[in-house]
Amino acid sequence: MTNVRLGVNIDHIATLRQQRHTDYPDLSEAIRRVEAAGADGITMHLREDRRHIQLEDVEQARREVSGTLNLEMAATEEMLDIAERIRPDYCCLVPERREELTTEGGLDVVAGADRIREACTRLKAAGIQVSLFVEPTHEVMDAAVELGASIVELHTGPYANATEPEAHEAELERLVSTTQYARERLTVNAGHGLHRDNVGSVASIPGMNELNIGHAIVCRAVMVGLEAAVREVREAMETP
């Protein structure tokens, strides 16, 4: 059995609610069901535009999540203030643009170095572990250490989106190489675009700590139910 943790992102359950500004689906119920089905943690992205997760959702989740709470956020003054007050277990710093459908790539650890370093310092002082959502390269791993992060979440979008076998294998090898390079200095997580048909190879990478999956689980839940969708991914993580 794999020791890789599963973090479930519940953003798109909130997306359904926000489409009509109803009080359903209930995120508290979703958290209970996801954790009962085997998730080790809950991930939620509080965006500046509040397109899905709302501030009160994060506050409520902090009270109700029994595993770990991972707050994805931009390194802005507003978000840092919120994180310092709510104190999730982890904060994953991500790039954010209003016009994007979802996070489109890793943090620019060069252009954003000063802001990222400040965010890492503030969050760690509040007792929060800091993760950076980044591209899987050795140079970026070195930068993450220098900026003060203790965790990286490798962007698996290029791996998930590769259609040709050669490109797919090349992206998987890049994830393997980067994990091996970083694992002695950083906790290595991964996420973006992963689903039950492609997750096994990433879960089998030596040194991989946690995979964060959201959209695919919520989509699959429409067909089979939320608990079954989580269990399917958990089972797929056992099969390279």
Side-chain angles (χ1 to χ4, degrees):
M1 181 176 180
T2 182
N3 292 321
V4 177
R5 292 167 46 88
L6 173 62
V8 175
N9 186 312
I10 62 172
D11 290 352
H12 294 299
I13 298 176
T15 296
L16 293 173
R17 181 194 64 195
Q18 295 305 116
Q19 284 293 305
R20 295 196 176 184
H21 297 284
T22 59
D23 58 4
Y24 62 85
D26 179 10
L27 291 197
S28 292
E29 180 180 0
I31 289 169
R32 290 193 298 270
R33 289 178 179 271
V34 164
E35 292 193 317
D40 300 291
I42 298 294
T43 295
M44 48 202 336
H45 183 176
L46 184 64
R47 295 182 66 104
E48 181 265 339
D49 62 14
R50 304 297 199 269
R51 67 176 63 171
H52 38 56
I53 296 297
Q54 306 299 301
L55 176 58
E56 54 267 30
D57 295 328
V58 184
E59 293 170 335
Q60 186 170 325
R62 177 65 289 180
R63 295 190 296 268
E64 297 179 352
V65 169
S66 59
T68 54
L69 176 61
N70 175 30
L71 178 62
E72 292 184 345
M73 53 179 256
T76 64
E77 188 65 28
E78 178 198 19
M79 294 301 165
L80 288 169
D81 287 344
I82 289 170
E84 288 170 328
R85 177 172 61 82
I86 296 176
R87 299 201 177 189
D89 299 290
Y90 309 100
C91 280
C92 184
L93 302 180
V94 301
E96 188 176 302
R97 294 187 302 119
R98 268 185 176 251
E99 61 270 26
E100 66 188 2
L101 290 177
T102 184
T103 305
E104 294 175 346
L107 284 166
D108 186 336
V109 295
V110 176
D114 291 342
R115 189 60 177 152
I116 295 168
R117 184 180 291 105
E118 179 190 355
C120 289
T121 299
R122 285 180 57 175
L123 293 170
K124 288 194 295 184
I128 303 166
Q129 295 192 64
V130 186
S131 175
L132 305 182
F133 183 74
V134 291
E135 298 300 322
T137 72
H138 292 196
E139 293 78 13
V140 171
M141 298 304 102
D142 292 337
V145 172
E146 194 276 327
L147 291 171
S150 57
I151 308 168
V152 287
E153 181 170 334
L154 304 183
H155 180 212
T156 53
Y159 161 80
N161 295 329
T163 55
E164 297 298 325
E166 295 83 359
H168 185 81
E169 286 302 315
E171 291 298 338
L172 178 60
E173 178 52 39
R174 189 157 71 113
L175 293 169
V176 171
S177 173
T178 303
T179 302
Q180 296 310 302
Y181 182 77
R183 61 186 293 189
E184 298 302 323
R185 297 178 293 162
L186 295 160
T187 297
V188 181
N189 299 340
H192 201 81
L194 298 177
H195 51 73
R196 60 180 180 148
D197 296 325
N198 66 14
V199 71
S201 295
V202 181
S204 68
I205 295 174
M208 185 61 65
N209 174 67
E210 179 176 291
L211 302 179
N212 282 298
I213 305 175
H215 184 259
I217 287 176
V218 175
C219 289
R220 181 64 177 160
V222 174
M223 303 300 177
V224 301
L226 188 55
E227 296 100 321
V230 173
R231 291 190 187 106
E232 284 183 353
V233 167
R234 174 62 79 185
E235 291 169 4
M237 289 169 64
E238 307 290 338
T239 307

